[in-house]
């Protein structure tokens, strides 16, 4: 899976760069999004080993925080504090005392 993500990232970066350089399809409307998604995919490719160790509740919390930020921006700091507290207060696996 990691090689596929890397390939997609490279393809999007090349396509976006070419679209902006050669003015294909109004480069700003086509090339810009390709470059942004390409950079995001490259970051996912780099972080892939660490993403496998991520707790399963964290993506759900991130989506919930995004929704809170979209609909109730004033509550976002409280939600962020709750997610950070859950991250640090969760039980650790594999560490026995």
């Amino acid at each position: 899976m990691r090689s596929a993500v890397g390939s997609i990232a490279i393809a999007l970066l090349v396509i976006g760069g070419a679209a902006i350089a050669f003015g294909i399809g109004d480069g700003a409307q086509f090339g810009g999004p390709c470059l942004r998604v390409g950079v995001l995919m490259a970051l996912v490719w780099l972080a892939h080993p660490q993403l496998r160790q991520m707790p399963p509740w964290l993506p759900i919390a991130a989506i919930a925080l995004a929704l809170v930020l979209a609909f109730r921006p004033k509550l976002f700091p409280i939600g962020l504090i709750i997610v950070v507290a859950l991250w640090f207060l969760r039980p650790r696996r594999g560490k026995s005392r």
Side-chain angles (χ1 to χ4, degrees), residues 11-12 14 19 28-29 44 48-49 53-54 59 61 66 68 70 75 88-89 91 96:
L12 285 171
V14 168
Q29 289 184 349
V44 168
H48 188 265
Q53 298 173 355
M54 185 171 53
V68 167
L75 295 178
F88 285 110
L89 297 176
S96 59

Side-chain angles (χ1 to χ4, degrees), residues 70-83:
F71 295 110
R72 303 274 188 202
K74 290 183 180 180
L75 295 178
F76 181 73
I78 296 169
L80 186 61
I81 290 170
I82 291 170
V83 170

Side-chain angles (χ1 to χ4, degrees), residues 15-37:
I15 291 169
I20 290 175
F22 300 117
I24 299 170
D26 190 22
Q29 289 184 349
F30 180 70
C34 282
L35 284 176
R36 287 186 197 115
V37 174

Side-chain angles (χ1 to χ4, degrees), residues 2 44-54:
R2 188 171 186 213
V44 168
W45 176 76
L46 285 172
H48 188 265
Q50 287 79 21
L51 290 176
R52 300 184 93 188
Q53 298 173 355
M54 185 171 53

